[in-house]
Amino acid sequence: KYGNQPNIFPNTLKDILDGYHTIGSPHAVLDLGVHAHIFGRPNGAIQFKKALEMAKACEFAWITNREELASLVRPVKK
């Protein structure tokens, strides 16, 4: 974001995951949005993959999508 190299993305996520316990681990949603003009390029894709693998390996992270998250707050009527 704002002219930073794509490797800032996984580095920042690592800092958050590693240090989250130091702020009391409140419930939170991290919306990891990416843009094709950055992450659609080879280095961006590599850095995004690193971040995704890091999140998958985190024992307290839950990877979901917005639809599933919204259904927890407002269940879909069938």
Side-chain angles (χ1 to χ4, degrees):
K1 187 173 179 178
Y2 306 118
N4 291 314
Q5 294 294 316
N7 67 331
I8 294 296
F9 186 77
N11 292 345
T12 300
L13 180 60
K14 182 176 182 348
D15 288 345
I16 292 168
L17 297 177
D18 288 349
Y20 202 64
H21 69 281
T22 66
I23 59 171
S25 303
H27 295 285
V29 174
L30 293 177
D31 187 1
L32 303 179
V34 297
H35 297 277
H37 69 281
I38 302 279
F39 292 93
R41 297 180 180 172
N43 189 33
I46 292 165
Q47 300 306 320
F48 180 71
K49 185 175 179 182
K50 283 182 186 178
L52 186 58
E53 293 303 321
M54 195 181 319
K56 285 180 179 179
C58 180
E59 64 184 40
F60 62 85
W62 171 42
I63 299 173
T64 189
N65 59 45
R66 291 176 180 166
E67 182 180 5
E68 186 177 13
L69 187 59
S71 73
L72 292 174
V73 178
R74 186 175 180 188
V76 177
K77 295 179 182 177
K78 294 182 179 184

